[in-house]
Amino acid sequence: MSDERQVAMENELNLNEQMMQRIEKLKTLQEEGRDPFDVYKVNVDFDSKQIKDNFEEFEGKEVTLAGRLMSKRGQGKVVFADILDKSDRIQLFVKIDNVGEDKLNDFKSFNIGDFVWVKGEVFKTKMGEVSVKVREFELISKSIRPLPEKFHGLKDPDLRYRHREVDMIMNPGVREKIAKRSAIISGIRSFLTDRGFMEVETPTLSPIAGGAAARPFITHHNSLNIDMYLRIATELYLKRCIVAGFDKVFEIGKNFRNEGIDQTHNPEFTCIELYEAFADYNDMMEIAENMVAYVCEKVNGTTKVMYKGNEIDFAPPWNRVTMADAVKDACGVDFMAMTSDEEAREVAKKHNVEMKKDLSLCTRGELLNTFFEEFAEEKLIQPTFILDYPVEVSPLTKKKRGNEMLTERFEGFVCGKELCNAYSELNDPIVQRERFQQQAKERELGDDEAYMLDEEFMHALEVGMPPTGGLGIGIDRLIMFLTESYSIRDVIIFPTMKPVNK
């Protein structure tokens, strides 16, 4: 047996022994009529952070608190302890003179991880630590499973993400990121509602997986006896809201894509998509850069963050570079000077560029996009809008004014990663149907991420949609940048994990 396996078995045996000891304590309490699980409610006046941040206001006053017992020190007539509530940790001072001998012994018997309610007076110790001089307390819930060892904590990445609740108990920085995530999403909502946008909710289950190029999750509806898809984007339903006459709409919600998991991808992720009638992609650029700067300053106090050793400044205006110029700057290839698809293919051969399909079937626009992803994308460190994507990779976008090969589409990049995507939305139903039909051919050639034809959406477009600008932002990635997190799992409260038995 390996040493690691031996240690794991010993740890498991030790854990089982500790759990049995805790269960025996619980049984004793229950036999004495003091079952902590019979407590349904306690009154809590304040939280730890309120008291610590406003000590002068609370000094000498009686408060009631409740939280998880995180540490105990002292075995004589005085016990010091820390409890953790929703906001912070605070020290408890439990003295025999204040609670009596029997109650002090009760407190000493509590386990780390138990929940306790306390009432006492706020004061500051000789060491200057804000504390509560406990006069009353009650055990209000029992922890059967011990928390990780105090000094080593929960460090194994798989265990941290799998048992996220323990990760957040033991690692305050994780709790802070999740709290900041809430503040970022709240900031996005306030920014948009202040600009007159209306929040809507669209279906998560749909008979068509539309609005993006991605592989969907498929399920089956028994009553209707049809296959349905978890949405890969909210785009098509939101555009139908624009058709309905709502000029400014947005949705913050989950999308699902049956694809790989890595540092910047999770199968279930959160996006904000917004659409504004009578606007174009220039308006979307203005919204994107100002919204990100707004929420960054709201949660961090500045528009600047550090990310992977780079100081990133989200203050507007962001850099604006066409895709063709970005490629030319990165590798010297000028796609705008080319006159044919064949010329582009020859250049691709020289650069050993790999394509998803046979090179002989690739167009100049498809190769331009591939060259950008291969040579230019990773060099975009400061917030940058890459403008004017090829028609072939932008089936829902209007053609660029003055250039039939390109579209009025941009993507925003930070530190070499895509943050947002936006269009001057295609509203010509005849051209849109042609684009969908071309995508259908791509699917036949083996591209299972090509767009599906959505007849319900086409019906809406045929009713008539005004000129419209649309924008989508990956909220998880935005939170990664604003909290200096290098894995998307660090900013998702419960990331997707393979079951232990698999």
Side-chain angles (χ1 to χ4, degrees), residues 247-463:
D247 288 352
K248 295 182 178 182
V249 295
F250 76 94
E251 181 170 12
I252 297 174
K254 295 287 189 181
N255 291 337
F256 307 85
R257 298 183 182 178
N258 196 354
E259 299 167 352
I261 297 176
D262 59 29
Q263 283 193 318
T264 57
H265 293 87
N266 194 67
E268 175 183 355
F269 60 99
T270 304
C271 269
I272 163 79
E273 283 201 46
L274 62 94
Y275 292 84
E276 181 178 355
F278 318 119
D280 66 6
Y281 80 148
N282 294 297
D283 298 295
M284 297 302 105
M285 277 183 258
E286 188 271 334
I287 289 176
E289 61 190 2
N290 280 283
M291 181 164 65
V292 172
Y294 170 82
V295 295
C296 185
E297 190 156 18
K298 182 180 177 69
V299 299
N300 291 326
T302 174
T303 59
K304 296 179 180 179
V305 298
M306 291 298 299
Y307 197 78
K308 294 186 176 180
N310 298 296
E311 184 180 71
I312 307 299
D313 191 353
F314 287 106
W318 295 4
N319 298 327
R320 286 157 167 77
V321 183
T322 67
M323 178 180 279
D325 285 344
V327 169
K328 185 177 179 181
D329 291 343
C331 64
V333 177
D334 186 358
F335 275 85
M336 292 299 98
M338 298 178 188
T339 58
S340 68
D341 293 339
E342 185 56 41
E343 186 178 353
R345 292 173 195 142
E346 289 301 318
V347 172
K349 288 179 185 177
K350 292 178 183 177
H351 285 77
N352 297 315
V353 171
E354 292 186 7
M355 300 296 292
K356 290 182 179 179
K357 62 182 183 181
D358 191 316
L359 182 60
S360 65
L361 300 175
C362 293
T363 65
R364 185 169 30 144
E366 289 170 323
L367 291 167
L368 167 59
N369 183 66
T370 300
F371 266 70
F372 169 74
E373 292 174 349
E374 183 77 18
F375 300 109
E377 194 171 293
E378 66 181 9
K379 298 180 180 180
L380 303 172
I381 304 303
Q382 292 299 323
T384 302
F385 292 128
I386 295 297
L387 315 180
D388 305 344
Y389 278 58
V391 170
E392 294 91 331
V393 295
S394 311
L396 298 171
T397 316
K398 281 187 179 239
K399 288 185 179 179
K400 181 173 174 59
R401 283 162 272 197
N403 191 325
E404 294 286 304
M405 176 187 169
L406 304 175
T407 62
E408 294 204 347
R409 172 187 175 188
F410 73 80
E411 288 187 353
F413 289 86
V414 180
C415 288
K417 299 297 181 182
E418 177 198 342
L419 176 62
C420 60
N421 189 13
Y423 313 150
S424 294
E425 303 292 340
L426 178 59
N427 61 340
D428 182 333
I430 297 172
V431 174
Q432 183 65 83
R433 184 173 292 278
E434 291 171 354
R435 299 264 189 94
F436 276 143
Q437 289 169 344
Q438 178 59 40
Q439 287 289 300
K441 293 178 182 177
E442 297 296 329
R443 292 184 73 85
E444 290 174 3
L445 291 171
D447 185 356
D448 58 0
E449 295 185 358
Y451 286 68
M452 296 181 182
L453 173 59
D454 186 335
E455 287 292 357
E456 300 295 334
F457 171 66
M458 288 306 308
H459 181 280
L461 209 58
E462 288 160 359
V463 170

Side-chain angles (χ1 to χ4, degrees), residues 177 305-309 479-486:
K177 284 183 180 181
V305 298
M306 291 298 299
Y307 197 78
K308 294 186 176 180
I479 296 168
M480 287 175 63
F481 293 129
L482 300 192
T483 61
E484 200 176 358
S485 301
Y486 302 143

